[in-house]
Amino acid sequence: MKKVTYIKSGPSEGSLFVGIVDEGTREKLFISRTEYARCGAPEKGDILDEETYYRMARYDLYHKAKKKALSILSYADNNKKNLIRKLRVAGYPQDLSELICREMISLGYIDERDQLCRLVLAEANEKLQGPNKILAKLTAKGYSSSDIREVMQNYVDEGEINFRNNAYRLIEKKLDAGATADEKKTLLYKNGYKYD
């Protein structure tokens, strides 16, 4: 039997902590006042039915998952796939992880297009990677291959990326002046360029 042991104001206006005991196991659930009212506003000493307890526990889990997502996003850019994966690794269910991810996107905390633009430019112009390597690397991180190709093509069309010049810069940076054609070909291939 899950019994309410206390109801206290939460850290923000409109939030509560609800204490619950079940056969000696104690829980402290975070819930909004609105959701608490939807759950029938149980009072101290009330016994919770399974549906009410599940609803309150689900809200608490949602709150914790959202907090975790914000923490993850505060450290580095993450795309949809990575955020969902990291939430799953942290122990949150798939459906809740996807819901939180959609919310982060709607709030503007995940902007994959902006991330792709920055990543493609850095890979091409700073790391001197070729299109094939960029495509493979960013696809592995969970970005759409069609989006990656589109961003690369836009930068090429705008003159922001010149893969031919970058290939020459890579050869100058990594090989000495007497490098053979085979050494150049191998270097370019490893870095995602077609050799011509």
Tab-separated table of all heavy atoms in Angstrom, residues 110-144:
chain	number	residue	atom	x	y	z
A	110	ILE	N	18.090	22.149	-29.261
A	110	ILE	CA	18.768	21.303	-30.246
A	110	ILE	C	18.458	21.889	-31.614
A	110	ILE	O	17.305	21.956	-32.023
A	110	ILE	CB	18.282	19.839	-30.189
A	110	ILE	CG1	18.591	19.210	-28.836
A	110	ILE	CG2	18.914	19.023	-31.314
A	110	ILE	CD1	18.035	17.800	-28.672
A	111	ASP	N	19.493	22.321	-32.298
A	111	ASP	CA	19.351	22.862	-33.650
A	111	ASP	C	20.357	22.116	-34.520
A	111	ASP	O	21.508	22.521	-34.658
A	111	ASP	CB	19.628	24.372	-33.653
A	111	ASP	CG	19.408	25.002	-35.017
A	111	ASP	OD1	19.309	24.260	-36.025
A	111	ASP	OD2	19.349	26.236	-35.085
A	112	GLU	N	19.905	20.990	-35.062
A	112	GLU	CA	20.812	20.127	-35.824
A	112	GLU	C	21.391	20.815	-37.049
A	112	GLU	O	22.532	20.578	-37.408
A	112	GLU	CB	20.104	18.828	-36.221
A	112	GLU	CG	19.883	17.913	-35.051
A	112	GLU	CD	19.492	16.509	-35.437
A	112	GLU	OE1	19.371	16.205	-36.651
A	112	GLU	OE2	19.318	15.692	-34.521
A	113	ARG	N	20.619	21.674	-37.669
A	113	ARG	CA	21.116	22.362	-38.869
A	113	ARG	C	22.310	23.252	-38.503
A	113	ARG	O	23.332	23.244	-39.185
A	113	ARG	CB	19.981	23.190	-39.485
A	113	ARG	CG	20.335	23.838	-40.779
A	113	ARG	CD	20.578	22.781	-41.825
A	113	ARG	NE	20.744	23.392	-43.111
A	113	ARG	CZ	20.574	22.767	-44.230
A	113	ARG	NH1	20.225	21.499	-44.227
A	113	ARG	NH2	20.766	23.355	-45.372
A	114	ASP	N	22.164	24.015	-37.431
A	114	ASP	CA	23.242	24.881	-36.960
A	114	ASP	C	24.467	24.043	-36.570
A	114	ASP	O	25.598	24.383	-36.910
A	114	ASP	CB	22.765	25.719	-35.775
A	114	ASP	CG	23.845	26.634	-35.243
A	114	ASP	OD1	24.313	27.500	-36.015
A	114	ASP	OD2	24.231	26.490	-34.060
A	115	GLN	N	24.228	22.941	-35.881
A	115	GLN	CA	25.327	22.052	-35.483
A	115	GLN	C	26.047	21.525	-36.718
A	115	GLN	O	27.285	21.533	-36.773
A	115	GLN	CB	24.788	20.870	-34.667
A	115	GLN	CG	24.266	21.233	-33.306
A	115	GLN	CD	23.590	20.049	-32.633
A	115	GLN	OE1	23.724	18.897	-33.049
A	115	GLN	NE2	22.832	20.340	-31.586
A	116	LEU	N	25.270	21.072	-37.696
A	116	LEU	CA	25.866	20.531	-38.921
A	116	LEU	C	26.709	21.574	-39.641
A	116	LEU	O	27.807	21.258	-40.118
A	116	LEU	CB	24.775	20.036	-39.865
A	116	LEU	CG	24.482	18.557	-39.860
A	116	LEU	CD1	23.377	18.223	-40.837
A	116	LEU	CD2	25.701	17.728	-40.129
A	117	CYS	N	26.208	22.785	-39.721
A	117	CYS	CA	26.959	23.849	-40.403
A	117	CYS	C	28.318	24.048	-39.742
A	117	CYS	O	29.348	24.107	-40.421
A	117	CYS	CB	26.162	25.149	-40.403
A	117	CYS	SG	24.713	25.099	-41.486
A	118	ARG	N	28.318	24.124	-38.416
A	118	ARG	CA	29.587	24.321	-37.704
A	118	ARG	C	30.508	23.113	-37.850
A	118	ARG	O	31.709	23.260	-38.075
A	118	ARG	CB	29.329	24.609	-36.227
A	118	ARG	CG	28.824	26.019	-35.989
A	118	ARG	CD	28.677	26.373	-34.524
A	118	ARG	NE	27.409	25.840	-34.015
A	118	ARG	CZ	27.292	24.911	-33.086
A	118	ARG	NH1	28.355	24.401	-32.518
A	118	ARG	NH2	26.120	24.484	-32.686
A	119	LEU	N	29.948	21.912	-37.734
A	119	LEU	CA	30.766	20.702	-37.816
A	119	LEU	C	31.363	20.495	-39.204
A	119	LEU	O	32.536	20.153	-39.336
A	119	LEU	CB	29.931	19.469	-37.415
A	119	LEU	CG	29.567	19.377	-35.935
A	119	LEU	CD1	28.524	18.287	-35.715
A	119	LEU	CD2	30.796	19.121	-35.088
A	120	VAL	N	30.558	20.723	-40.230
A	120	VAL	CA	31.042	20.545	-41.601
A	120	VAL	C	32.175	21.531	-41.889
A	120	VAL	O	33.222	21.150	-42.425
A	120	VAL	CB	29.894	20.687	-42.625
A	120	VAL	CG1	30.425	20.845	-44.041
A	120	VAL	CG2	28.972	19.474	-42.555
A	121	LEU	N	31.993	22.781	-41.517
A	121	LEU	CA	33.055	23.782	-41.743
A	121	LEU	C	34.331	23.412	-41.002
A	121	LEU	O	35.437	23.508	-41.553
A	121	LEU	CB	32.593	25.171	-41.301
A	121	LEU	CG	31.877	26.012	-42.323
A	121	LEU	CD1	31.443	27.336	-41.712
A	121	LEU	CD2	32.705	26.242	-43.567
A	122	ALA	N	34.211	23.001	-39.759
A	122	ALA	CA	35.393	22.636	-38.966
A	122	ALA	C	36.102	21.425	-39.562
A	122	ALA	O	37.334	21.405	-39.674
A	122	ALA	CB	35.000	22.359	-37.518
A	123	GLU	N	35.337	20.402	-39.927
A	123	GLU	CA	35.946	19.193	-40.502
A	123	GLU	C	36.659	19.509	-41.814
A	123	GLU	O	37.754	19.022	-42.063
A	123	GLU	CB	34.882	18.111	-40.730
A	123	GLU	CG	34.339	17.491	-39.468
A	123	GLU	CD	35.359	16.689	-38.690
A	123	GLU	OE1	36.183	15.981	-39.298
A	123	GLU	OE2	35.350	16.768	-37.450
A	124	ALA	N	36.032	20.326	-42.653
A	124	ALA	CA	36.600	20.616	-43.974
A	124	ALA	C	37.759	21.602	-43.892
A	124	ALA	O	38.850	21.324	-44.405
A	124	ALA	CB	35.518	21.157	-44.905
A	125	ASN	N	37.553	22.739	-43.259
A	125	ASN	CA	38.538	23.812	-43.339
A	125	ASN	C	39.577	23.820	-42.229
A	125	ASN	O	40.654	24.377	-42.408
A	125	ASN	CB	37.821	25.172	-43.381
A	125	ASN	CG	37.049	25.363	-44.664
A	125	ASN	OD1	37.278	24.677	-45.659
A	125	ASN	ND2	36.102	26.277	-44.654
A	126	GLU	N	39.277	23.206	-41.088
A	126	GLU	CA	40.261	23.147	-40.003
A	126	GLU	C	40.978	21.798	-39.975
A	126	GLU	O	42.191	21.744	-39.886
A	126	GLU	CB	39.585	23.425	-38.661
A	126	GLU	CG	39.057	24.849	-38.541
A	126	GLU	CD	38.167	25.050	-37.324
A	126	GLU	OE1	38.309	24.294	-36.334
A	126	GLU	OE2	37.330	25.960	-37.364
A	127	LYS	N	40.212	20.725	-40.052
A	127	LYS	CA	40.805	19.385	-39.994
A	127	LYS	C	41.199	18.873	-41.374
A	127	LYS	O	41.809	17.810	-41.478
A	127	LYS	CB	39.856	18.418	-39.307
A	127	LYS	CG	39.588	18.793	-37.852
A	127	LYS	CD	38.652	17.810	-37.207
A	127	LYS	CE	38.339	18.231	-35.775
A	127	LYS	NZ	37.372	17.329	-35.150
A	128	LEU	N	40.804	19.601	-42.413
A	128	LEU	CA	41.138	19.279	-43.806
A	128	LEU	C	40.646	17.897	-44.234
A	128	LEU	O	41.292	17.205	-45.015
A	128	LEU	CB	42.654	19.424	-44.041
A	128	LEU	CG	43.223	20.805	-43.721
A	128	LEU	CD1	44.741	20.805	-43.903
A	128	LEU	CD2	42.570	21.881	-44.573
A	129	GLN	N	39.481	17.524	-43.741
A	129	GLN	CA	38.888	16.245	-44.110
A	129	GLN	C	38.127	16.381	-45.425
A	129	GLN	O	37.545	17.422	-45.712
A	129	GLN	CB	37.927	15.772	-43.017
A	129	GLN	CG	38.590	15.546	-41.681
A	129	GLN	CD	39.639	14.460	-41.724
A	129	GLN	OE1	39.349	13.306	-42.022
A	129	GLN	NE2	40.872	14.830	-41.440
A	130	GLY	N	38.125	15.321	-46.201
A	130	GLY	CA	37.409	15.295	-47.460
A	130	GLY	C	35.940	14.952	-47.267
A	130	GLY	O	35.523	14.547	-46.182
A	131	PRO	N	35.158	15.098	-48.329
A	131	PRO	CA	33.709	14.885	-48.217
A	131	PRO	C	33.312	13.488	-47.747
A	131	PRO	O	32.374	13.342	-46.962
A	131	PRO	CB	33.186	15.166	-49.623
A	131	PRO	CG	34.363	15.311	-50.507
A	131	PRO	CD	35.566	15.509	-49.658
A	132	ASN	N	34.025	12.465	-48.198
A	132	ASN	CA	33.660	11.102	-47.790
A	132	ASN	C	33.893	10.874	-46.300
A	132	ASN	O	33.095	10.232	-45.622
A	132	ASN	CB	34.453	10.064	-48.600
A	132	ASN	CG	34.095	10.109	-50.075
A	132	ASN	OD1	33.025	10.573	-50.451
A	132	ASN	ND2	34.999	9.644	-50.919
A	133	LYS	N	34.979	11.409	-45.774
A	133	LYS	CA	35.293	11.265	-44.345
A	133	LYS	C	34.297	12.063	-43.503
A	133	LYS	O	33.850	11.597	-42.462
A	133	LYS	CB	36.723	11.743	-44.095
A	133	LYS	CG	37.211	11.576	-42.680
A	133	LYS	CD	37.889	10.246	-42.508
A	133	LYS	CE	38.543	10.148	-41.151
A	133	LYS	NZ	39.879	9.653	-41.195
A	134	ILE	N	33.969	13.277	-43.954
A	134	ILE	CA	33.000	14.098	-43.229
A	134	ILE	C	31.652	13.389	-43.184
A	134	ILE	O	31.020	13.304	-42.132
A	134	ILE	CB	32.862	15.496	-43.883
A	134	ILE	CG1	34.164	16.280	-43.734
A	134	ILE	CG2	31.687	16.264	-43.282
A	134	ILE	CD1	34.212	17.570	-44.550
A	135	LEU	N	31.219	12.873	-44.313
A	135	LEU	CA	29.942	12.171	-44.391
A	135	LEU	C	29.922	10.975	-43.439
A	135	LEU	O	28.978	10.802	-42.659
A	135	LEU	CB	29.669	11.717	-45.827
A	135	LEU	CG	28.341	11.027	-46.072
A	135	LEU	CD1	27.179	11.965	-45.786
A	135	LEU	CD2	28.259	10.518	-47.500
A	136	ALA	N	30.971	10.163	-43.465
A	136	ALA	CA	31.028	8.972	-42.605
A	136	ALA	C	31.048	9.360	-41.121
A	136	ALA	O	30.331	8.778	-40.302
A	136	ALA	CB	32.258	8.140	-42.952
A	137	LYS	N	31.851	10.355	-40.792
A	137	LYS	CA	32.006	10.756	-39.397
A	137	LYS	C	30.707	11.331	-38.830
A	137	LYS	O	30.291	10.985	-37.730
A	137	LYS	CB	33.131	11.792	-39.280
A	137	LYS	CG	33.487	12.170	-37.870
A	137	LYS	CD	34.707	13.075	-37.850
A	137	LYS	CE	35.145	13.379	-36.434
A	137	LYS	NZ	36.343	14.227	-36.402
A	138	LEU	N	30.060	12.203	-39.575
A	138	LEU	CA	28.853	12.849	-39.067
A	138	LEU	C	27.633	11.933	-39.119
A	138	LEU	O	26.747	12.030	-38.276
A	138	LEU	CB	28.597	14.165	-39.804
A	138	LEU	CG	29.697	15.222	-39.613
A	138	LEU	CD1	29.351	16.513	-40.337
A	138	LEU	CD2	29.981	15.477	-38.146
A	139	THR	N	27.608	11.025	-40.081
A	139	THR	CA	26.536	10.026	-40.116
A	139	THR	C	26.636	9.133	-38.882
A	139	THR	O	25.632	8.797	-38.263
A	139	THR	CB	26.607	9.181	-41.403
A	139	THR	OG1	26.506	10.049	-42.530
A	139	THR	CG2	25.474	8.168	-41.465
A	140	ALA	N	27.864	8.769	-38.522
A	140	ALA	CA	28.081	7.936	-37.333
A	140	ALA	C	27.632	8.655	-36.060
A	140	ALA	O	27.265	8.008	-35.075
A	140	ALA	CB	29.550	7.547	-37.225
A	141	LYS	N	27.641	9.980	-36.079
A	141	LYS	CA	27.186	10.751	-34.915
A	141	LYS	C	25.670	10.916	-34.890
A	141	LYS	O	25.124	11.516	-33.978
A	141	LYS	CB	27.834	12.140	-34.913
A	141	LYS	CG	29.289	12.121	-34.546
A	141	LYS	CD	29.822	13.536	-34.451
A	141	LYS	CE	31.258	13.526	-33.957
A	141	LYS	NZ	31.749	14.893	-33.715
A	142	GLY	N	24.990	10.419	-35.923
A	142	GLY	CA	23.533	10.435	-35.923
A	142	GLY	C	22.883	11.476	-36.810
A	142	GLY	O	21.668	11.629	-36.807
A	143	TYR	N	23.686	12.195	-37.588
A	143	TYR	CA	23.108	13.192	-38.498
A	143	TYR	C	22.686	12.511	-39.795
A	143	TYR	O	23.284	11.527	-40.215
A	143	TYR	CB	24.116	14.306	-38.795
A	143	TYR	CG	24.455	15.131	-37.580
A	143	TYR	CD1	25.606	14.878	-36.846
A	143	TYR	CD2	23.614	16.150	-37.159
A	143	TYR	CE1	25.910	15.628	-35.725
A	143	TYR	CE2	23.912	16.910	-36.042
A	143	TYR	CZ	25.068	16.643	-35.320
A	143	TYR	OH	25.367	17.373	-34.207
A	144	SER	N	21.680	13.055	-40.440
A	144	SER	CA	21.157	12.516	-41.690
A	144	SER	C	22.169	12.726	-42.814
A	144	SER	O	22.691	13.831	-42.989
A	144	SER	CB	19.842	13.224	-42.026
A	144	SER	OG	19.580	13.216	-43.388
